[in-house]
Amino acid sequence: MSLARVVATARRSAALPLVLAVAAVDVDSGQTVGLDERVVLPVASASKVLLLAEVSRRLDSGALRPDEPVAIQEADAVGGTGLLSRLSRRDWTVEDLAWLTASVSDNTATNALLRTVGLESTARLADAVGLGDLALHDLVRDVRGPDVPPVFATGTAWDLAHLLARAVRGEMVSPQASARLLGWMRANTDHGLVPALIAHDPYAPFPGPPPVGELLVANKTGTDPGVRADTGVIVGTRRLAYAVVAHWDTALGSSTERAAVHAIRDVGRSLADCAGGEVR
């Protein structure tokens, strides 16, 4: 099935009071389709894939060790998603923090990793692989005052999808760094957006082959007021990398948020069809 179906599905949201940016890449053929895929938008925690890619790169080069201890500092601890701010233990390893960031989008773990590698290193990595519009601007904060960047991260659907296409090809720095990044993403527990209506097995060996009639998904989501984002990889008879980012004015209320979630899930159905899987 043509990837054009993904764009056609996204276009159905044109009447909604939101921006829905979509990019899909056939990893093996290189075909790319998109809608508003180059529009720079807040992408919330979906941008953590860039941080995880930099951590994986450093593990690959030996600049970091998987078992290297990182003490959680008071400035790291924030609310929102995650577990660490609610646990008593304060010493973790680099790889522990990566698993927590990928699996439950742990904001405290994210801040500890950002402190360890530095925001500047994530920017250098994005530039090095041609993803200059994907940027982490700050730590995760409970409150954003006038003296800090207004959002945690911005990017484009194109950048997010192509970062993961590189990872599936083993070109996100190296085959080993790529595989480690996808392995972390495979542990993500939030399947409420693109994968929500896809018949997929979250526990089957990754990257495959998938069980008959099902797909494999590795993804990372992002949630902020007025933002829902999902970027990942779907493996079936085809391997697709994707990103879907919805952005809207929060003054429009919860009905627009629900419309955004439904629009993203509809795009997920089309991605599943194109990957050769079934939908629910």
Side-chain angles (χ1 to χ4, degrees):
M1 182 174 293
S2 170
L3 277 181
R5 176 169 178 173
V6 175
V7 174
T9 300
R11 287 190 188 281
R12 291 205 293 266
S13 69
L16 298 173
L18 55 85
V19 175
L20 187 70
V22 176
V25 183
D26 185 312
V27 172
D28 299 301
S29 73
Q31 179 191 6
T32 302
V33 298
L35 177 68
D36 289 333
E37 70 274 21
R38 298 276 190 170
V39 176
V40 178
L41 296 167
V43 293
S45 291
S47 63
K48 292 175 183 178
V49 295
L50 178 60
L51 170 61
L52 291 169
E54 171 61 12
V55 172
S56 188
R57 182 194 72 79
R58 292 198 179 201
L59 291 174
D60 196 47
S61 70
L64 286 176
R65 302 189 322 274
D67 61 352
E68 188 168 330
V70 179
I72 301 300
Q73 298 181 2
E74 184 176 350
D76 298 330
V78 289
T81 55
L83 300 170
L84 288 191
S85 65
R86 299 164 175 86
L87 301 180
S88 59
R89 180 177 164 186
R90 285 294 176 262
D91 291 316
W92 301 83
T93 68
V94 167
E95 193 150 34
D96 287 339
L97 296 176
W99 283 113
L100 285 160
T101 298
S103 62
V104 293
S105 201
D106 195 294
N107 287 331
T108 299
T110 297
N111 283 348
L113 287 176
L114 279 170
R115 176 169 50 80
T116 301
V117 303
L119 279 170
E120 301 82 3
S121 69
T122 64
R124 287 193 296 270
L125 176 60
D127 286 339
V129 295
L131 307 174
D133 287 325
L134 180 59
L136 296 164
H137 300 297
D138 194 16
L139 301 175
V140 182
R141 298 180 186 271
D142 289 322
V143 178
R144 294 205 163 272
D147 56 339
V148 299
V151 295
F152 169 60
T154 54
T156 69
W158 190 96
D159 280 341
L160 288 167
H162 279 78
L163 185 154
L164 296 182
R166 291 180 69 103
V168 178
R169 296 186 190 112
E171 298 170 355
M172 188 63 247
V173 180
S174 72
Q176 294 79 13
S178 297
R180 185 183 294 111
L181 170 62
L182 293 171
W184 287 336
M185 292 175 62
R186 175 67 169 160
N188 178 36
T189 58
D190 182 3
H191 290 179
L193 292 175
V194 164
L197 305 178
I198 295 176
H200 67 287
D201 185 345
Y203 306 111
F206 185 83
V212 175
E214 293 197 352
L215 299 167
L216 300 179
V217 178
N219 75 317
K220 181 72 191 75
T221 55
T223 300
D224 264 341
V227 180
R228 292 292 182 275
D230 191 331
T231 187
V233 177
I234 299 175
V235 178
T237 56
R238 298 166 78 181
R239 301 189 298 173
L240 303 180
Y242 70 85
V244 189
V245 182
H247 184 250
W248 66 94
D249 184 347
T250 56
L252 295 173
S254 59
S255 62
T256 303
E257 177 181 349
R258 290 193 295 271
V261 170
H262 286 307
I264 294 172
R265 289 175 176 177
D266 284 344
V267 170
R269 284 176 177 267
S270 293
L271 286 164
D273 285 343
C274 292
E278 297 178 357
V279 297
R280 295 183 173 127

Coordinates of all heavy atoms in Angstrom, one line a residue, residues 196-235:
A196 N -2.1 2.9 19.2 CA -3.3 2.5 20.0 C -4.2 1.6 19.3 O -4.8 0.7 19.9 CB -4.0 3.8 20.4
L197 N -4.3 1.7 18.0 CA -5.3 0.9 17.2 C -4.6 -0.1 16.3 O -5.2 -0.6 15.4 CB -6.2 1.8 16.3 CG -6.9 2.9 17.1 CD1 -7.8 3.8 16.2 CD2 -7.8 2.3 18.2
I198 N -3.3 -0.3 16.6 CA -2.5 -1.2 15.8 C -2.4 -2.6 16.5 O -2.1 -2.6 17.7 CB -1.1 -0.7 15.5 CG1 -1.1 0.6 14.7 CG2 -0.2 -1.7 14.9 CD1 0.2 1.3 14.5
A199 N -2.6 -3.7 15.8 CA -2.3 -5.0 16.3 C -0.8 -5.2 16.4 O -0.2 -5.5 15.4 CB -3.0 -6.1 15.5
H200 N -0.3 -5.1 17.6 CA 1.2 -5.2 17.8 C 1.4 -5.9 19.1 O 0.7 -5.9 20.1 CB 1.9 -3.8 17.8 CG 1.5 -3.0 19.0 ND1 0.3 -2.4 19.2 CD2 2.3 -2.6 20.1 CE1 0.3 -1.7 20.3 NE2 1.5 -1.8 20.9
D201 N 2.6 -6.6 19.1 CA 3.0 -7.4 20.3 C 4.1 -6.6 21.0 O 5.2 -6.5 20.5 CB 3.5 -8.8 19.9 CG 3.8 -9.6 21.1 OD1 3.9 -9.1 22.2 OD2 3.9 -10.9 20.9
P202 N 3.9 -6.0 22.1 CA 4.9 -5.2 22.8 C 6.0 -6.0 23.4 O 7.0 -5.5 23.9 CB 4.1 -4.4 23.8 CG 3.0 -5.2 24.2 CD 2.6 -5.9 22.9
Y203 N 5.9 -7.3 23.5 CA 6.8 -8.2 24.1 C 7.6 -9.1 23.2 O 8.5 -9.8 23.6 CB 6.1 -9.0 25.2 CG 5.3 -8.2 26.2 CD1 3.9 -8.2 26.2 CD2 6.0 -7.3 27.0 CE1 3.2 -7.4 27.0 CE2 5.2 -6.5 27.9 CZ 3.9 -6.6 27.9 OH 3.1 -5.8 28.7
A204 N 7.2 -9.1 21.9 CA 7.9 -10.0 21.0 C 9.4 -9.5 20.8 O 9.6 -8.3 20.9 CB 7.2 -10.0 19.6
P205 N 10.3 -10.4 20.4 CA 11.7 -9.9 20.2 C 11.7 -8.8 19.1 O 11.0 -8.9 18.1 CB 12.4 -11.2 19.7 CG 11.6 -12.3 20.3 CD 10.2 -11.8 20.3
F206 N 12.5 -7.8 19.4 CA 12.7 -6.7 18.4 C 14.1 -6.7 17.9 O 15.0 -6.9 18.6 CB 12.4 -5.4 19.2 CG 12.3 -4.2 18.3 CD1 11.2 -3.8 17.6 CD2 13.5 -3.4 18.2 CE1 11.2 -2.7 16.8 CE2 13.4 -2.2 17.4 CZ 12.3 -1.9 16.7
P207 N 14.3 -6.5 16.5 CA 13.3 -5.9 15.6 C 12.5 -7.0 14.8 O 12.0 -6.6 13.7 CB 14.2 -5.1 14.7 CG 15.5 -5.9 14.6 CD 15.6 -6.4 16.0
G208 N 12.5 -8.2 15.2 CA 11.6 -9.1 14.4 C 12.2 -10.4 14.2 O 13.2 -10.8 14.7
P209 N 11.5 -11.2 13.3 CA 10.3 -10.8 12.5 C 9.1 -10.8 13.5 O 9.0 -11.5 14.5 CB 10.1 -11.9 11.5 CG 10.8 -13.1 12.1 CD 11.9 -12.6 12.9
P210 N 8.0 -10.0 13.1 CA 6.9 -9.9 14.0 C 6.0 -11.1 13.9 O 6.1 -11.9 12.9 CB 6.1 -8.6 13.4 CG 6.6 -8.6 12.0 CD 8.0 -9.1 12.0
P211 N 5.2 -11.4 14.9 CA 4.2 -12.5 14.8 C 3.3 -12.3 13.6 O 3.0 -11.1 13.2 CB 3.4 -12.4 16.1 CG 4.3 -11.6 17.0 CD 5.1 -10.6 16.2
V212 N 2.8 -13.4 13.0 CA 1.9 -13.3 11.9 C 0.7 -12.4 12.1 O 0.0 -12.6 13.1 CB 1.5 -14.7 11.5 CG1 0.5 -14.6 10.3 CG2 2.7 -15.6 11.1
G213 N 0.5 -11.4 11.2 CA -0.6 -10.6 11.3 C -0.4 -9.4 12.3 O -1.4 -8.6 12.5
E214 N 0.7 -9.3 13.0 CA 0.9 -8.3 13.9 C 2.2 -7.5 13.5 O 2.9 -7.8 12.5 CB 1.1 -8.8 15.3 CG -0.2 -9.4 15.9 CD -0.1 -9.6 17.4 OE1 0.9 -9.3 18.0 OE2 -1.2 -9.9 18.0
L215 N 2.4 -6.4 14.2 CA 3.5 -5.5 13.9 C 4.4 -5.4 15.2 O 3.9 -5.7 16.3 CB 3.0 -4.1 13.5 CG 2.2 -4.1 12.3 CD1 1.5 -2.7 12.2 CD2 3.0 -4.3 11.0
L216 N 5.6 -4.9 15.0 CA 6.4 -4.5 16.1 C 6.5 -3.0 16.1 O 6.7 -2.4 15.1 CB 7.8 -5.1 16.0 CG 7.8 -6.7 16.0 CD1 9.3 -7.1 15.8 CD2 7.2 -7.2 17.3
V217 N 6.5 -2.4 17.3 CA 6.6 -0.9 17.5 C 7.6 -0.6 18.5 O 7.7 -1.2 19.6 CB 5.2 -0.4 17.9 CG1 5.3 1.2 18.1 CG2 4.1 -0.7 16.8
A218 N 8.5 0.4 18.2 CA 9.3 1.0 19.2 C 9.1 2.5 19.0 O 9.3 3.1 18.0 CB 10.8 0.7 18.9
N219 N 8.7 3.2 20.1 CA 8.3 4.6 20.0 C 8.6 5.4 21.2 O 9.0 4.9 22.3 CB 6.8 4.7 19.6 CG 5.9 4.4 20.8 OD1 6.1 3.5 21.6 ND2 4.8 5.2 21.0
K220 N 8.4 6.7 21.0 CA 8.6 7.7 22.1 C 7.5 8.8 22.0 O 7.4 9.3 20.9 CB 10.0 8.3 22.2 CG 10.2 9.3 23.3 CD 10.3 8.6 24.6 CE 10.2 9.5 25.8 NZ 8.8 10.0 26.0
T221 N 6.8 9.0 23.0 CA 5.7 10.0 22.9 C 6.1 11.3 23.7 O 7.1 11.3 24.4 CB 4.4 9.4 23.5 OG1 4.7 9.0 24.9 CG2 3.9 8.3 22.7
G222 N 5.3 12.3 23.4 CA 5.5 13.6 24.1 C 4.2 14.2 24.4 O 3.3 14.2 23.6
T223 N 4.0 14.8 25.6 CA 2.8 15.4 26.1 C 3.1 16.7 26.8 O 3.8 16.7 27.8 CB 2.0 14.5 27.0 OG1 1.7 13.3 26.3 CG2 0.7 15.1 27.4
D224 N 2.5 17.7 26.3 CA 2.5 19.0 27.0 C 1.2 19.7 26.7 O 0.5 19.3 25.8 CB 3.7 19.9 26.5 CG 4.9 19.8 27.3 OD1 4.8 19.4 28.5 OD2 6.0 20.2 26.9
P225 N 0.8 20.8 27.5 CA -0.4 21.5 27.1 C -0.3 22.0 25.7 O 0.6 22.6 25.3 CB -0.4 22.7 28.1 CG 0.4 22.2 29.3 CD 1.5 21.3 28.7
G226 N -1.3 21.5 24.9 CA -1.4 21.9 23.5 C -0.5 21.1 22.6 O -0.3 21.5 21.4
V227 N 0.1 20.0 23.1 CA 1.0 19.2 22.3 C 0.8 17.8 22.5 O 0.7 17.3 23.7 CB 2.5 19.6 22.6 CG1 3.5 18.7 21.8 CG2 2.8 21.0 22.4
R228 N 0.7 17.0 21.5 CA 0.8 15.5 21.5 C 1.7 15.1 20.4 O 1.5 15.6 19.2 CB -0.5 14.9 21.4 CG -1.5 15.1 22.5 CD -1.0 14.4 23.8 NE -2.0 14.6 24.9 CZ -2.1 15.7 25.6 NH1 -1.2 16.7 25.5 NH2 -3.0 15.8 26.6
A229 N 2.7 14.3 20.7 CA 3.7 13.9 19.7 C 4.0 12.4 19.9 O 4.0 11.9 21.0 CB 5.0 14.7 19.8
D230 N 4.3 11.7 18.8 CA 4.7 10.3 18.8 C 5.7 10.1 17.6 O 5.4 10.5 16.5 CB 3.5 9.4 18.6 CG 3.7 8.0 18.9 OD1 4.9 7.5 18.7 OD2 2.8 7.3 19.3
T231 N 6.8 9.6 18.0 CA 7.8 9.2 16.9 C 8.3 7.8 17.2 O 8.4 7.4 18.3 CB 8.9 10.2 16.9 OG1 9.8 9.9 15.7 CG2 9.8 10.2 18.1
G232 N 8.5 7.0 16.1 CA 8.9 5.7 16.3 C 9.1 4.9 15.0 O 9.3 5.5 14.0
V233 N 9.1 3.6 15.2 CA 9.4 2.7 14.1 C 8.3 1.6 14.2 O 8.0 1.1 15.2 CB 10.8 2.0 14.3 CG1 11.0 1.0 13.2 CG2 11.9 3.0 14.3
I234 N 7.8 1.3 13.0 CA 6.8 0.1 12.9 C 7.4 -0.9 11.9 O 7.8 -0.5 10.8 CB 5.5 0.6 12.3 CG1 4.8 1.7 13.3 CG2 4.5 -0.5 12.1 CD1 3.6 2.3 12.7
V235 N 7.5 -2.1 12.4 CA 8.1 -3.2 11.6 C 7.0 -4.2 11.3 O 6.4 -4.8 12.2 CB 9.3 -3.9 12.4 CG1 9.8 -5.0 11.5 CG2 10.4 -2.9 12.7

